[in-house]
Amino acid sequence: MSHVRIVDQTIRDGQQSLWGMRMQAGMCLPVAPLIDRAGYEVVDLVGSSMFEVMVRHAREDPWEGLDLIVQAMPNTPIRGGLRAHGIISMSVTPEALMDLWVKRLCVHGVRSFWIHDTLHADRNIAKMHRRAKVAKEFDAQIVLGLMYCLSPVHTDEYYAERAAVMADSPHVDRLMIYDMAGLLTPERVRSLAPAVKAVTDRLGKGLEIHSHNVTGLAPLVYLEAIAAGVEVIHTAARPLANGASMPSVEMTLGNLRHAGHSHDIDPSVLAPIADHFEAVARAAGFQLGVPNEYDLGVYQHQIPGGMTGTFRNQLKEHGMEERLPQLLEEVARVRQELGYPGLATPYSQLVGTLALMNVLTGKRYASIPDEVLHYAYGWFGAPPVPIDPEVMDRIDAHPRARDVRGTAPPDPGLEEIRAEFGAIDDDELILRALVAAPHIDAMKAAGPVARDYPLVRDPVLARVRDLMGESRAAHVSLSGADFSLTLSRKEGV
């Protein structure tokens, strides 16, 4: 029997999967001391997309929120996540800015990092090692992600070979099998985990597993992975678990007990943590996690759970919601034609956007976004297999191809980047590289980060808030039997 360590994903991937990264610091801070007492190995918290959402949608300074949460959890390491070559969703970020991002996270108290890229290309792994070296200057823990997906090339042998390249660095502490779309089955993990574990054991590294419970199999996957020697698993508090998220910590602890495994979690703090986040979800109108029905189609389209809702909304805007099954089939076809990239940022957006345009126009590859051209011409590294020759011919024939072919992403130095944005500190520099200036100005005007969140939601105020969020009008009016209210939007908000 094994002693299992657990990473908490409630306030990072749980809320990313179910709440669209809308969790403000004040929604977490009241129970942060309880999370700190729970006995987690690490609390995952930070991602650049979360920073962008906090500025753009919540008008909240994510650096200030990070500081408050780190201060509230003095006993548990805080983890940040980053892609090998990007902090901006659909772009390749200059190397100097990537290094600065890691350094500033470390200065703000992040002491654990997971670094990933689903292409697993040698060039991208070298970038992972560069980020790891920067973080090691602050004595941070480094975990590199093996991003799991299905294709003829993504075999156990492929992952073992890539694991050997990833782990071959003195700055890397662990690897992680990262199942972003919930594709792992108990049968597959019985062969995959031992293949990767043999590599990590040989090189003296640890091994984690992270699996989304999209098909309901992740709890079984975890038990099989533990039996194969995986030391660390990822869970979330029940209101932010299951569905597109990870298994709940509550159920996982029961499974560990029944299987004879031990852990460090104090179960007495889990109920108040869950009660708090359920109250937040109900007050804010956020989704509560529930188990999904088993859907075999997931293994064909392989998209992360949250993307299905995005697709449905996009099709609904065009009056084509009934074509969702066709779109999911097109995602699978486009992914194959583009060389089987794993569907995590930015490749999920590249493949998803192209598939959506193919369906909406009825003409495949009639419109090709610049980001797909960047991918095809190597800006993100080499895909697992070459792009389909007929599709590459269409890409080569695109009018913009001549402007992109043979080029590399811009890579200005830090002084050049600073000169572009003027005399601001490094934290603001990173924010301004992420989001447009009007959003940052609105964030600053909103004032300090709130340290709590109202858990009783007045239905009238809730309707006003929803209207302001849905409408782009300058004025919104609402009236009832005994009231009348008109709100005006500030310029740029």
Side-chain angles (χ1 to χ4, degrees):
M1 298 300 102
S2 302
H3 184 77
V4 180
R5 305 192 301 280
I6 299 179
V7 172
D8 180 56
Q9 289 287 351
T10 305
I11 55 179
R12 204 282 295 176
D13 207 358
Q15 66 107 356
Q16 179 173 341
S17 299
L18 298 177
W19 293 4
M21 294 178 283
R22 293 320 200 253
M23 183 187 288
Q24 300 167 41
M27 296 176 175
C28 167
L29 280 169
V31 292
L34 291 179
I35 298 173
D36 191 44
R37 284 171 37 199
Y40 288 111
E41 168 90 354
V42 170
V43 171
D44 199 353
L45 171 62
V46 186
S48 59
S49 296
M50 184 190 75
F51 267 43
E52 181 181 1
V53 170
M54 284 297 96
V55 174
R56 187 185 299 273
H57 297 284
R59 306 292 186 247
E60 179 171 295
D61 184 349
W63 290 115
E64 182 185 354
L66 172 60
D67 289 342
L68 291 170
I69 294 173
V70 168
Q71 292 163 14
M73 298 185 185
N75 301 306
T76 310
I78 299 296
R79 177 173 287 181
L82 61 148
R83 298 202 326 269
H85 48 56
I87 62 171
I88 304 167
S89 295
M90 297 284 283
S91 303
V92 177
T93 303
E95 291 288 283
L97 196 58
M98 287 296 304
D99 291 345
L100 181 64
W101 168 240
V102 175
K103 290 178 182 178
R104 294 310 301 168
L105 288 175
C106 290
V107 168
H108 283 270
V110 173
R111 286 296 179 270
S112 177
F113 287 88
W114 77 281
I115 311 173
H116 70 283
D117 182 82
T118 63
L119 299 187
H120 304 118
D122 286 342
R123 187 179 70 183
N124 296 347
I125 295 173
K127 291 176 182 287
M128 294 182 193
H129 291 165
R130 173 171 172 162
R131 312 297 165 234
K133 183 178 180 181
V134 172
K136 275 299 179 184
E137 295 174 8
F138 296 83
D139 199 29
Q141 175 195 68
I142 305 299
V143 181
L144 302 190
L146 283 164
M147 310 302 283
Y148 180 75
C149 60
L150 298 172
S151 82
V153 74
H154 289 92
T155 62
D156 293 350
E157 293 75 19
Y158 167 89
Y159 281 112
E161 189 273 331
R162 293 290 83 193
V165 178
M166 285 186 183
D168 188 20
S169 165
H171 308 299
V172 173
D173 299 295
R174 297 181 196 158
L175 299 186
M176 172 168 51
I177 299 170
Y178 197 101
D179 179 19
M180 59 272 190
L183 300 171
L184 272 172
T185 64
E187 292 77 17
R188 179 66 189 275
V189 84
R190 287 187 201 119
S191 62
L192 176 64
V196 176
K197 188 71 166 59
V199 174
T200 56
D201 283 351
R202 174 168 54 84
L203 296 175
K205 314 294 182 179
L207 184 59
E208 303 183 9
I209 190 167
H210 174 116
S211 184
H212 288 244
N213 203 20
V214 176
T215 61
L217 295 180
L220 290 169
V221 164
Y222 279 179
L223 292 175
E224 292 292 346
I226 293 166
V230 173
E231 302 105 349
V232 183
I233 62 176
H234 293 220
T235 66
R238 179 166 279 129
L240 285 139
N242 295 314
S245 182
M246 279 64 55
S248 74
V249 64
E250 293 87 351
M251 179 57 74
T252 298
L253 295 190
N255 289 341
L256 293 178
R257 183 180 67 255
H258 290 305
H261 303 304
S262 60
H263 57 79
D264 294 319
I265 304 301
D266 177 2
S268 70
V269 303
L270 300 183
I273 292 170
D275 290 345
H276 171 80
F277 283 122
E278 181 171 347
V280 169
R282 296 190 186 283
F286 291 155
Q287 177 183 354
L288 289 169
V290 294
N292 284 341
E293 294 183 294
Y294 183 80
D295 179 4
L296 196 59
V298 168
Y299 297 94
Q300 178 182 13
H301 59 70
Q302 300 188 44
I303 66 172
M307 278 186 67
T308 303
T310 301
F311 279 151
R312 185 176 285 109
N313 291 336
Q314 290 171 326
L315 290 173
K316 188 174 182 180
E317 290 174 3
H318 292 84
M320 302 168 67
E321 190 173 5
E322 76 284 352
R323 297 180 70 176
L324 179 62
Q326 178 188 351
L327 176 55
L328 297 181
E329 291 178 4
E330 183 65 11
V331 167
R333 185 177 177 187
V334 169
R335 175 177 174 258
Q336 176 182 348
E337 292 167 340
L338 291 184
Y340 292 110
L343 295 185
T345 302
Y347 314 110
S348 52
Q349 290 92 334
L350 296 177
V351 171
T353 300
L354 192 50
L356 180 66
M357 294 170 72
N358 289 350
V359 169
L360 291 179
T361 63
K363 298 178 180 179
R364 304 191 74 243
Y365 296 98
S367 181
I368 302 175
D370 276 4
E371 291 80 9
V372 175
L373 297 176
H374 296 161
Y375 169 84
Y377 294 122
W379 281 29
F380 299 99
V385 299
I387 294 173
D388 179 271
E390 291 187 8
V391 170
M392 197 67 221
D393 287 343
R394 296 188 187 186
I395 292 173
D396 286 334
H398 191 275
R400 284 273 296 147
R402 66 174 70 111
D403 299 323
V404 179
R405 189 188 301 112
T407 66
D411 192 28
L414 195 54
E415 292 310 312
E416 186 177 348
I417 296 170
R418 286 195 175 109
E420 177 185 352
F421 290 100
I424 55 177
D425 64 32
D426 288 342
D427 290 349
E428 185 173 343
L429 176 67
I430 289 170
L431 293 184
R432 290 192 179 275
L434 280 170
V435 295
H439 296 295
I440 296 175
D441 296 339
M443 175 201 77
K444 289 185 172 183
V449 169
R451 300 186 180 220
D452 57 13
Y453 184 81
L455 298 182
V456 178
R457 197 181 195 211
D458 182 275
V460 174
L461 294 179
R463 183 57 181 149
V464 171
R465 177 174 175 166
D466 292 342
L467 284 172
M468 292 301 291
E470 296 167 4
S471 173
R472 299 267 60 88
H475 307 281
V476 173
S477 297
L478 186 69
S479 61
D482 55 356
F483 74 93
S484 178
L485 177 66
T486 299
L487 296 178
S488 299
R489 188 184 305 277
K490 291 182 179 179
E491 186 176 351
V493 177

